[in-house]
Amino acid sequence: MNSMRVAQVSEPGGPFEIVERELPEPGPGHVRIAVEASGVCHSDAGMVHNAFPNLSFPLVAGHEVAGRIDALGEGVRYWAVGDRVEVGWFGGHCGHCPPCREGDFIVCRNLQVPGWAYDGGYATHMVAPVNALARIPEGLTAVEAAPLGCAGVTTYNAFRKSAARPGDLVAVIGIGGLGHLAVQYAAKSGLETVAVARGEDKRALAMELGAHHYIDSAATDTAKALQELGGARVVLATASNSQAMAAGVDGLLPGGELVLVGIDSEPVPITPAQLILPSRTVVGHPSGTSRDVEHAMNFSALAGIRPMTETMPLEGINEAFARMMSGAARFRMVVIP
């Protein structure tokens, strides 16, 4: 087979179109991947709508990609045709900028994100650099693994790199594409987990995911409820709403952390006094490197953590994208070429 299918957007904000392209050969230090599953992430909307700098169209998005290596470029070692691999938001680093030289690859100044720096995974095949590859453990299917390349590693790392330790009280604001994974990671890590969402109808799901407590933010003051539980060491804000994020800060213990992973264009309304007097911090948390993705997948396989997914064929990408954008998906859309 010398051709492949991709779902491309020809102009900013346009629909996805399925087209055939010549099957690319991987260059030095790259591999070609036969895509088995590709998650549909809200960040892809920023690419489709030309919200990131230096994008070019036609554009092939998709940065939660699970598949198998089917061709190796020159000089590739330690990887073989047939290896199961994941490529997430972290699609490669330059190795030369100051953050890279300090080993902080996820904030590489030239970070390569699939769909932004090169064609992503809404396709039957894609080419990626070897430093973007994470090995998928046998305990995960491709559909289960795909969302862990962005949503999974982001929430897993957010707690792993926070001040929270087993037994601490933590809260997750928002039970959606990120939050439903965050609750599982927190609970399985031995943290006393509070799920915060709007509506009593989400309580049963929160408890099913492993939460020990549930706060209906539509009926209860979030900060007051957290303080009644003893105060949170960490509040992870996954909801894309700045007001909801800010509601957690006064629920923190002295020295506690508000960790932001949800994105909203509006400022987060927090006063200096809320932070200074109780010595609280607000932290923005990025995704994770390919090695972090491996850690997240291995822990997920070990602890029985799985994303809740809906699948569609590649030809259904417009419907999958619309369900993701509307919030109707429960909770991660995954396309299967």
Side-chain angles (χ1 to χ4, degrees):
M1 182 177 67
N2 295 317
S3 65
M4 67 176 187
R5 290 179 296 122
V6 305
Q8 69 177 31
V9 175
S10 296
E11 59 184 13
F16 292 93
E17 306 165 316
I18 306 297
V19 300
E20 281 204 5
R21 292 185 180 180
E22 183 178 351
L23 192 65
E25 294 297 326
H30 288 65
V31 302
R32 188 175 66 214
I33 300 166
V35 177
E36 296 178 345
S38 188
V40 182
C41 181
H42 199 274
S43 299
D44 290 328
M47 300 177 198
V48 169
H49 293 281
N50 204 27
F52 294 107
N54 304 316
L55 289 167
S56 60
F57 290 80
L59 178 145
V60 180
H63 60 267
E64 294 182 338
V65 188
R68 294 180 184 271
I69 295 175
D70 82 338
L72 303 175
E74 182 183 350
V76 172
R77 297 186 297 170
Y78 312 120
W79 300 94
V81 170
D83 283 352
R84 302 178 71 225
V85 294
E86 171 94 9
V87 180
W89 173 266
F90 180 87
H93 63 281
C94 72
H96 305 295
C97 69
C100 281
R101 294 181 67 188
E102 294 174 5
D104 202 357
F105 303 134
I106 189 58
V107 290
C108 170
R109 293 180 181 176
N110 303 297
L111 183 68
Q112 294 181 281
V113 180
W116 185 358
Y118 53 84
D119 287 340
Y122 294 174
T124 58
H125 296 77
M126 68 175 288
V127 171
V130 292
N131 60 10
L133 303 180
R135 294 186 187 275
I136 300 174
E138 287 304 314
L140 297 177
T141 68
V143 170
E144 292 168 340
L148 303 185
C150 183
V153 69
T154 298
T155 51
Y156 171 76
N157 256 2
F159 281 121
R160 188 169 69 129
K161 297 188 176 183
S162 76
R165 297 296 178 265
D168 285 346
L169 185 81
V170 301
V172 176
I173 297 178
I175 308 177
L178 292 168
H180 88 285
L181 285 164
V183 169
Q184 293 181 73
Y185 285 127
K188 292 289 189 178
S189 297
L191 300 169
E192 185 177 355
T193 305
V194 185
V196 182
R198 292 181 61 83
E200 192 61 28
D201 59 316
K202 297 182 177 66
R203 180 183 295 273
L205 172 62
M207 308 311 279
E208 179 185 332
L209 293 170
H212 302 94
H213 312 277
Y214 179 75
I215 295 173
D216 176 2
S217 60
T220 306
D221 181 274
T222 298
K224 181 180 179 181
L226 286 174
Q227 290 297 347
E228 288 174 350
L229 290 169
R233 177 67 60 194
V234 171
V235 172
L236 176 60
T238 71
S240 298
N241 182 295
S242 293
Q243 294 289 337
M245 297 179 198
V249 71
D250 285 333
L252 289 167
L253 290 166
E257 295 177 348
L258 174 63
V259 182
L260 309 182
V261 296
I263 295 178
D264 189 2
S265 60
E266 296 299 317
V268 180
I270 297 173
T271 67
Q274 289 175 282
L275 304 178
I276 294 171
L277 297 179
S279 189
R280 296 168 176 145
T281 58
V282 180
V283 180
H285 173 72
S287 179
T289 67
S290 53
R291 182 59 175 154
D292 292 326
V293 174
E294 286 187 352
H295 285 310
M297 290 192 295
N298 288 335
F299 184 72
S300 298
L302 176 69
I305 295 169
R306 299 293 187 273
M308 296 174 66
T309 61
E310 296 181 28
T311 59
M312 286 193 178
L314 185 62
E315 288 74 13
I317 182 60
N318 282 297
E319 183 180 352
F321 192 79
R323 284 187 62 76
M324 177 275 295
M325 291 295 292
S326 70
R330 291 286 298 255
F331 282 100
R332 304 298 291 188
M333 298 302 304
V334 179
V335 292
I336 302 174

